[in-house]
Amino acid sequence: MANNRRMRYGGRMLALSAAALGMIAAIAGPASADDQPTRAQLIADCDSGQGKCTFNDPKVGQAYLGSFHRVSDSLYNCSTSPATQSMTWSDTVGSTDSAGVSVTAGGNIAGIIDLSVTATYSHTWSSTHSETSSINMTVKPGEVGWITRAQVMQTVSGTWQTHYDDRKWGHYFWFVPDVVTGPAPNGTDGQSNAVVVKSRKMTAEEKRSCSSRSGKAKAFAVRS
């Protein structure tokens, strides 16, 4: 009797093991080219919530200063002497993934990355940074000036794991490696945001536009 119970128990264990191996094969087995989803499809399912996604093993890279970009209107000095004027600038820097696709604030993708980074590094991750301020800029006569800014940036690399309740493209799980580049807090790894005033000489057409103006009130021309 004891032997019969052991045999029945052993039979159930073998059946369960076979079922488990079948599941692993379904997950890991190769799919045909027609069944392969695109990276964009998998990420879209993560973003929409159709796939249950996690961003596994995040690794935060060394912070660096991003490229300078224009953040203000242009100030044309149509007078005959250097002049200074306060100019307001505004800048919003977002995040992009390894395919150059924008990672928007408030979306599922940004939220999943933030949860993963917070759990691993105990600090939050933000997909966007916005900042507005003003600066006094001096422009020489016959020149045009504008304000540029560079944001401290950082990469976060990891692997998207997409889980479906029912098989999709033949599998329950799909994995997508990704690198997301986004803004980092000022001072990260000793890097600081930078604001720089740029200027150049006016073109002949811009000088003609200046000559059509008259009066001190029109010594400066601000254009987008």
Side-chain angles (χ1 to χ4, degrees):
M1 182 67 70
N3 286 337
N4 288 337
R5 283 199 299 270
R6 283 195 293 270
M7 290 177 66
R8 286 197 298 271
Y9 178 74
R12 286 197 298 270
M13 289 297 293
L14 287 172
L16 288 171
S17 297
L21 288 173
M23 177 70 73
I24 293 172
I27 294 172
S32 66
D34 292 338
D35 291 335
Q36 291 281 357
T38 65
R39 181 188 180 284
Q41 287 174 315
L42 291 173
I43 297 299
D45 281 356
C46 288
D47 200 33
S48 68
Q50 183 176 351
K52 299 175 182 178
C53 296
T54 56
F55 191 69
N56 299 338
D57 194 24
K59 291 181 175 59
V60 176
Q62 187 78 11
Y64 64 95
L65 189 62
S67 59
F68 280 90
H69 50 280
R70 178 172 164 168
V71 294
S72 75
D73 293 333
S74 295
L75 180 63
Y76 292 78
N77 186 352
C78 297
S79 70
T80 57
S81 60
T84 300
Q85 181 166 309
S86 177
M87 289 287 289
T88 298
W89 59 265
S90 180
D91 190 24
T92 296
V93 179
S95 299
T96 55
D97 66 9
S98 54
V101 178
S102 174
V103 178
T104 58
N108 284 346
I109 293 295
I112 294 170
I113 296 174
D114 184 29
L115 285 174
S116 180
V117 172
T118 300
T120 303
Y121 293 93
S122 299
H123 65 76
T124 58
W125 176 86
S126 177
S127 61
T128 60
H129 174 79
S130 296
E131 191 171 336
T132 300
S133 187
S134 60
I135 187 173
N136 288 331
M137 55 186 293
T138 300
V139 180
K140 294 178 180 180
E143 292 193 355
V144 54
W146 65 96
I147 302 168
T148 64
R149 181 177 181 273
Q151 169 71 38
V152 176
M153 304 292 286
Q154 201 166 31
T155 61
V156 181
S157 60
T159 301
W160 290 103
Q161 176 181 316
T162 307
H163 171 223
Y164 297 100
D165 291 332
D166 299 312
R167 292 186 186 185
K168 192 169 184 180
W169 297 291
H171 299 292
Y172 291 99
F173 291 90
W174 288 93
F175 300 87
V176 181
D178 200 4
V179 178
V180 178
T181 302
N186 190 37
T188 301
D189 296 334
Q191 297 292 325
S192 299
N193 299 329
V195 175
V196 175
V197 174
K198 297 284 189 178
S199 64
R200 62 168 174 80
K201 293 185 178 298
M202 291 187 195
T203 64
E205 182 178 352
E206 290 167 343
K207 288 180 178 179
R208 283 194 297 270
S209 178
C210 274
S211 64
S212 66
R213 299 172 180 272
S214 62
K216 294 182 179 179
K218 295 184 178 180
F220 289 97
V222 179
R223 304 173 190 169
S224 299

